[in-house]
Amino acid sequence: MEEEEIRKLYKKVEVRLLILLGISLPIFGVVYLYYNSGNLSWQLPQVSPYVETVMVGLGLFFLLAQYFLFRKRLLATFQEEDLLRKVQIYAGANLQRIHLLAISCVLDALGLLLFKNPIFVVLFAITLVFFSLAKPSPDRMIRLMKLSKKQGDIIRTASRPVS
């Protein structure tokens, strides 16, 4: 029973990550193509350079916030003995992380669209690295939550597709 609950949590995080990444990538892709093509003009309004600085700051803030919030929430797993409760904490922390990364992606796309500043491309690339780190894998979960071999075997089994 515990394994089935862990499987549901694992799939929930994995599916949410793929959906948000699947939404974020095309949005940024369209903006990036617009940024690289010299002959398109969408007649966008001029926005103050102050707003650009704020958007870069927000992009950095979301990247740092998702990392530190995830780490902080992950510490709670060390206080728990129950594996299911540990995975619930991990899943909640990872979902929060994924949502902050999705916000960061949209912010980066908007910044690139309005300001055509390559720093937003760099921020997006860093965001993609964190997206890849947010994808749940049994080995990553075992390492981050410092699980025993027995608990690790349960996680590995739960992460496999049901046949």
Side-chain angles (χ1 to χ4, degrees), residues 3 22 25 28 52-53 68 83 88 90 113-114 142 153:
E3 188 178 302
L25 276 174
F28 191 85
E52 180 179 13
T53 305
F68 289 115
L83 178 61
Q88 288 171 338
Y90 174 84
L113 179 67
L114 294 175
I142 292 166
D153 290 341

Side-chain angles (χ1 to χ4, degrees), residues 62-130:
F62 279 114
L63 286 175
L64 291 172
Q66 63 84 26
Y67 177 78
F68 289 115
L69 287 172
F70 177 74
R71 287 291 180 186
K72 182 181 178 189
R73 289 188 66 188
L74 196 63
L75 290 176
T77 63
F78 302 146
Q79 310 303 321
E80 292 291 331
E81 293 295 323
D82 182 43
L83 178 61
L84 179 59
R85 183 67 190 130
K86 285 183 178 194
V87 174
Q88 288 171 338
I89 293 168
Y90 174 84
N94 216 10
L95 286 172
Q96 179 185 37
R97 179 183 210 183
I98 292 165
H99 291 135
L100 290 173
L101 288 170
I103 292 168
S104 179
C105 284
V106 171
L107 192 66
D108 295 339
L110 186 60
L112 184 63
L113 179 67
L114 294 175
F115 303 106
K116 295 187 177 182
N117 187 337
I119 190 71
F120 292 107
V121 177
V122 173
L123 287 172
F124 184 76
I126 294 169
T127 303
L128 287 181
V129 169
F130 279 112

